[in-house]
Amino acid sequence: MSEIIGTVQGHRDGHGFVQADDGDTSVFLPPQEMRSVMHRDRVKVRVVRFDRRGRPEGLVLEIIERRKTPIIGRLLQEGGAWLVAPEDRRFGQDILIAPKATGNAEPGQVVAVELTEPPSLLAKPVGRVVEVLGGIDDPGMEIEIAVRKYEVPHRFSDAALAQAAKLPEKVRAADKKGRIDITDVPLVTIDGEDARDFDDAVYCEPATIGRSKAPNAWRLVVAIADVSHYVKPGEPLDLDAYERATSVYFPRRVIPMLPEKLSNGLCSLNPEVERLSMVCDMLVSCDGEVHAYQFFPAVIRSHARLTYTEVATILGNTRGPEALRRPDLVPHLLHLHEVYRALLKSRSGRGAVDFDTTETQIVCDENGRIAKIVPRVRTEAHRLIEECMLAANVCSADFITRAKHPSLFRVHEGPTPEKRQLLKNYLKALGLGLSLGEEPQPGDYQAIAQAVKDRPDATQIHTMLLRSMQQAIYTPTNSGHFGLAYEAYTHFTSPIRRYPDLLVHRVIKALLGRGRYDLKLPPVQHSVGNVKRRPGGQRGVPAKGLPAAPSKAVSRLKLPPAEAAAWETVGIHCSANERRADEASRDVEAWLKCMFMRERLGEEYGGTVSAVTNFGLFVQLDGLYVEGLIHITELGGEYYRFDEARQELRGERSGARYAVGTRVRVQVSRVDLDTRKIDFRLVREAGEEKSTSGAGKRRARVPDKDWVEPGGAQDALADVRQADHEVRRASKAARTGKGRTRVSVAATVTGKGGSAKRSKSKR
């Protein structure tokens, strides 16, 4: 059998997997093998067998490297022994703590633990407390846990802070050398009310194309903070920025990619102060096509710091109080709106995907707890800035592509064959008369979205369209952007908070100077694990940040092997860290929502089924925008089959159907803060019968709401399985007995407030 080296990925149920360094192979580790290893250890395994589905199962031969980063968990005292229960359930086992190694922490507090003895087949791991974070209910504790749980670098190195301290407070005369002074151009920043770092400023005026005497186009100027002037390759600030790769946004707190002196000060395009920038100056036709563009380094001065709400109000009423406060800027904002409408026309012509989805915003109180969750309203101002940034990003991709210079592209590929087929089956099951071809185009998606926009289940159909697409990644292999319908696309507009944007700035600067940017791969202190191979040549994260083998597309640029591999690795690193930031943010939001719902146990709410799985229904509550699970055992005393095509659960006996978009009423039955899970139970009035999937469907009796105790879903499922076993045994006895005997067996699952029966008979 083959031997594989890779990284252990634990599972909360006790088993695990070894993800091979090539990103292609995953080897299953049974619970027995996981006793001697821990999540994120690097090991060598031998494949010893294959299961019925052909998946390899491994035996650990050697532990190559133990993880060294501290483990976060809660300190507990049980039976006189001290232990830490890891916050990340993928570690699978508690850590024993010697009485003198608790670091003066109190039971129940959240601590960071360093292992002193690794686990073995016969013994649990032993560790010592190296940091006491505080009580589980302390304000901001969820963020402190998340940054350590996901190993998000949250402290800048001393060298980076020292370098930042030496930077000037304002733009110096020497910094302006070789730059175009456009401080007289009334550029403005438009951001959210709570924004503190301003990457971009915009300006627009009428222009002409050709010999026309009347304006028939617009000059659109997008100025982006020139972070590359201050953050040089290989310097401490650059090393810290690369390690983070992105800023991480939490409710009420940001873990920035750059120190505050740069992110909120020297690089931020604050109003009425001079700032260095990279400018994309575009000439946009009335059809929204970029007729010409140029890049140049400049000195700018933002003439105003505007908010989305303020701009939307001005555009809605040019004679209102907001407009009267800024009369000099109103004409320029109207020009921005005009070029936005032209760009929007071009977007529609390309067939770019544009779904109406509801994004939410968490509003916290003074203690950092959720006060309310509100839908985030996208105004014309949001869309205006979005289109301006898209235009600048496309120009940067075109500029780099024409120069045949390696860089990082933002690639979003079309659906995989599996996801495409699942979506086709779903649309067919709905009877929409709409379908996708073998090679779907963005316009096909947009056509479906437009065709169903007036249906009551439009949101659910849009969600299924989104789920069928792949995630966007950073890669030097340009495969285009499916969702935006661009042949080439980069990220150029946010170098304060994204490392790929900083790299694109460096490439453009090098090309403007008629040179080349020689990428040197910085070392990383924190690995974020493996990323599986993606279409277009994307490979798995190599161990220890070593260069991956270059893809064929990158090789065609005829780069030296080390440079080609470096670009591949940087793309993988930035993509993986983007995923890490998203996971950490979701974890904090889930923690806050659990705390929010913990005070609402037993309360009833209306909701909509947002997702259907083979183990239950996910329901989003009306008004609260919180999602929880109705386990399949809470749906009634019968079998429910999962119809993947229709995305629904259907009862075998009653025909009751629960699909995406079904309206239900639920009770909050259980909140588990440790696993970030919220459980619901289905609620119906006594004796009430309702169809669960619309008019004309078969009616089904819904069992009493107290059928299963909170947390008793697994026990109930086990009872059902035991009943099935008894049915089969009785049926077998009937078949082997004398004569033709009808056997009827009734199995009862009893809960706190009642019971549910399921019967099965056989001749």
Side-chain angles (χ1 to χ4, degrees), residues 36-37 41-44 60-66 118-119:
S36 60
V37 298
D41 285 347
R42 282 183 51 74
V43 299
K44 177 191 288 187
V60 176
L61 299 178
E62 178 185 353
I63 299 171
I64 298 174
E65 182 182 11
R66 294 282 187 182

Side-chain angles (χ1 to χ4, degrees), residues 84 98 225 245 253 273 300 326 345 363 412 421 593 624:
V84 167
R253 183 178 170 187
V273 293
I300 72 162
R326 304 180 185 272
K345 184 190 300 184
V363 179
H412 179 226
Q421 189 59 47
K593 289 178 180 179
L624 295 182

Side-chain angles (χ1 to χ4, degrees), residues 670-682:
R670 182 172 178 265
V671 176
D672 189 339
L673 192 62
D674 291 335
T675 60
R676 314 288 196 266
K677 291 182 178 179
I678 301 170
D679 291 336
F680 299 146
R681 67 159 62 105
L682 200 62

Side-chain angles (χ1 to χ4, degrees), residues 116-263:
T116 56
E117 296 181 22
S120 66
L121 291 175
L122 301 176
K124 288 183 175 294
V126 179
R128 64 184 182 89
V129 174
V130 294
E131 183 182 8
V132 180
L133 302 182
I136 189 66
D137 292 326
D138 290 352
M141 180 53 63
E142 69 281 359
I143 297 177
E144 296 296 331
I145 291 174
V147 296
R148 292 166 175 81
K149 176 179 177 180
Y150 293 96
E151 299 181 26
V152 176
H154 57 286
R155 295 190 182 100
F156 289 102
S157 65
D158 293 338
L161 293 175
Q163 184 184 357
K166 294 179 181 178
L167 293 173
E169 298 295 332
K170 59 182 181 180
V171 176
R172 300 167 298 190
D175 298 324
K176 302 178 184 180
K177 185 178 180 181
R179 294 178 177 270
I180 298 176
D181 188 336
I182 57 171
T183 53
D184 59 324
V185 177
L187 291 150
V188 296
T189 61
I190 305 175
D191 289 274
E193 282 79 0
D194 55 351
R196 296 178 61 193
D197 56 336
F198 308 115
D199 291 281
D200 55 86
V202 292
Y203 167 76
C204 184
E205 65 182 15
T208 59
I209 295 177
R211 298 182 178 180
S212 174
K213 294 182 179 180
N216 60 354
W218 291 272
R219 179 196 178 198
L220 174 61
V221 179
V222 175
I224 306 299
D226 190 0
V227 176
S228 63
H229 180 81
Y230 300 104
V231 181
K232 303 294 185 182
E235 293 183 349
L237 282 173
D238 181 55
L239 299 180
D240 276 26
Y242 175 72
E243 185 178 20
R244 297 173 181 228
T246 181
S247 296
V248 186
Y249 292 86
F250 301 110
R252 289 177 45 122
R253 183 178 170 187
V254 178
I255 307 296
M257 188 181 78
L258 298 170
E260 186 174 353
K261 183 169 183 179
L262 286 88
S263 60

